[in-house]
Amino acid sequence: MQHNGDPITLYQQVLASCTGALVTAVLMTPFDVVKTRLQAQQSAGGGRLIPERCSYIFCNGLLEPLSHPCHHSSVKFTGTFDAFYKISSTEGVYSLWRGLPPTLLMAIPATVVYFSLYDVLKDTYSSKLGAVNGAFLAGVLARVGASSLISPLEMIRTKAQSMHEFKPPIYKSLAKQISLMVKEQGLLSLYKGLGPTLLRDVPFSAIYWACYEKIMNTFFTMKQKFISSFFAGAVSGAIAATLTLPFDVVKTYKQIDWTHGSKPQPMRRLLKEIALREGFSGLFVGIVPRLAKVAPACAIMISSYETGKLYFRRNNQI
């Protein structure tokens, strides 16, 4: 079965995308954990999102609080490197990979859907709109499909990463609370934060692919495929990550909203509240770990994907 007009099979394309996704997830999860914890600390500092009591053993906003006190970690982070040190020293090095199982579970379907859709749509629209505009539109449509598919797992991962206490039954307890949340609030509760996620990921995807295609078409040739895709992926990822960070902050707020009995606030109101309380810089909390994760992650992912496709393409021609 040929795909997208390339002399590679769909199975080979899936292998190329999954390899990059798995490597990226394992290497970059610690940066995602630190980013989430810094954003969660800011939400706690506002005095609005964390109640005085928590449910089960976690303060995660999934259920009605029980009657025992909420024991939050007294550790406060002053920055990215401080968070890395304190999380690993007080909670164990392995806590930096908290949320990795659902991250890996998300990586396979999300990557397959996202990259497959993007390649199909890019080929469709580039001939009509040009390389950059076609990539922009393809990035938008592909991201909507992939983000909608994995939104429930994204919410679970974010909550797991934001938890201060890390004990062996963490996922068992989390699963129990998720189940009760669905029973009480319905299946749509699993999509809490999808709006901000789309507002973060769709512009990110559009900006990323448009920048990537522009850089590749302007500065590089096919002979430099690995180096060029690695560099273009890192630069494009850094630009897109910076411009869309405020939506990432709001997404984290909504997914770890710990207010007892409160109705989730609209994204616009949250953006305004964060800006008023923390200043403009509050909308860019976690930018260092986000860039430290996103730039190399994009570089690893796209270079692995393009190199994998090139390998299979050449192998099939032998």
Side-chain angles (χ1 to χ4, degrees):
M1 177 180 177
Q2 302 301 313
H3 188 62
N4 283 355
D6 287 337
I8 62 173
T9 66
L10 180 60
Y11 174 73
Q12 290 172 333
Q13 185 180 27
V14 168
L15 283 180
S17 60
C18 285
T19 299
L22 293 174
V23 172
T24 301
V26 172
L27 294 179
M28 298 299 130
T29 290
F31 295 99
D32 207 27
V33 170
V34 169
K35 172 189 69 68
T36 301
R37 290 289 291 274
L38 286 171
Q39 293 174 350
Q41 175 178 279
Q42 175 182 274
S43 70
R48 183 188 62 79
L49 297 178
I50 301 181
E52 294 180 356
R53 299 180 182 279
C54 58
S55 56
Y56 293 96
I57 61 172
F58 303 122
C59 296
N60 55 33
L62 290 175
L63 303 174
E64 293 296 313
L66 297 181
S67 59
H68 59 275
C70 177
H71 297 290
H72 291 288
S73 171
S74 59
V75 177
K76 301 299 179 183
F77 310 125
T78 59
T80 300
F81 296 106
D82 183 60
F84 267 111
Y85 173 74
K86 289 180 178 176
I87 291 173
S88 60
S89 62
T90 61
E91 303 173 32
V93 174
Y94 292 112
S95 64
L96 290 172
W97 278 268
R98 183 176 303 165
L100 181 59
T103 296
L104 292 176
L105 188 61
M106 287 191 307
I108 295 177
T111 302
V112 170
V113 171
Y114 181 50
F115 279 87
S116 297
L117 269 178
Y118 174 76
D119 276 346
V120 170
L121 295 169
K122 183 187 72 171
D123 289 346
T124 300
Y125 293 115
S126 292
S127 59
K128 302 176 182 178
L129 304 175
V132 175
N133 291 334
F136 186 93
L137 182 57
V140 168
L141 297 177
R143 179 51 68 188
V144 169
S147 293
S148 299
L149 176 68
I150 66 167
S151 182
L153 291 173
E154 171 78 5
M155 184 198 69
I156 294 171
R157 182 189 67 159
T158 300
K159 289 180 179 297
Q161 290 177 341
S162 68
M163 294 173 185
H164 295 283
E165 296 185 30
F166 187 59
K167 298 180 180 180
I170 180 172
Y171 290 108
K172 182 178 179 180
S173 299
L174 187 58
K176 185 184 298 183
Q177 296 179 53
I178 291 288
S179 177
L180 184 55
M181 180 186 71
V182 171
K183 181 178 178 180
E184 293 180 345
Q185 303 177 29
L187 285 174
L188 290 180
S189 62
L190 291 175
Y191 289 85
K192 182 184 296 184
L194 177 58
T197 296
L198 289 176
L199 286 171
R200 176 200 65 177
D201 289 352
V202 171
F204 179 96
S205 183
I207 295 169
Y208 171 78
W209 286 114
C211 290
Y212 179 79
E213 293 295 339
K214 182 66 175 178
I215 293 172
M216 290 293 289
N217 292 335
T218 303
F219 298 104
F220 297 107
T221 66
M222 287 295 295
K223 294 181 180 180
Q224 306 164 309
K225 196 62 177 178
F226 178 82
I227 296 176
S228 60
S229 59
F230 189 93
F231 175 80
V235 174
S236 302
I239 294 172
T242 301
L243 294 178
T244 59
L245 184 58
F247 298 117
D248 184 60
V249 173
V250 172
K251 177 194 72 71
T252 300
Y253 270 49
K254 289 179 75 69
Q255 290 182 328
I256 61 172
D257 190 347
W258 289 315
T259 304
H260 172 42
S262 68
K263 183 178 180 180
Q265 293 198 63
M267 184 207 64
R268 184 180 301 177
R269 184 180 300 176
L270 272 176
L271 280 171
K272 182 178 180 180
E273 180 180 322
I274 295 169
L276 288 175
R277 189 177 69 227
E278 306 290 338
F280 184 73
S281 61
L283 296 174
F284 291 88
V285 168
I287 188 170
V288 173
R290 180 159 166 79
L291 288 177
K293 174 198 172 184
V294 170
C298 287
I300 293 170
M301 182 64 238
I302 193 62
S303 58
S304 298
Y305 180 60
E306 295 290 357
T307 301
K309 288 199 301 181
L310 183 61
Y311 167 80
F312 287 122
R313 189 178 296 117
R314 290 175 175 172
N315 188 64
N316 291 344
Q317 293 173 348
I318 297 177

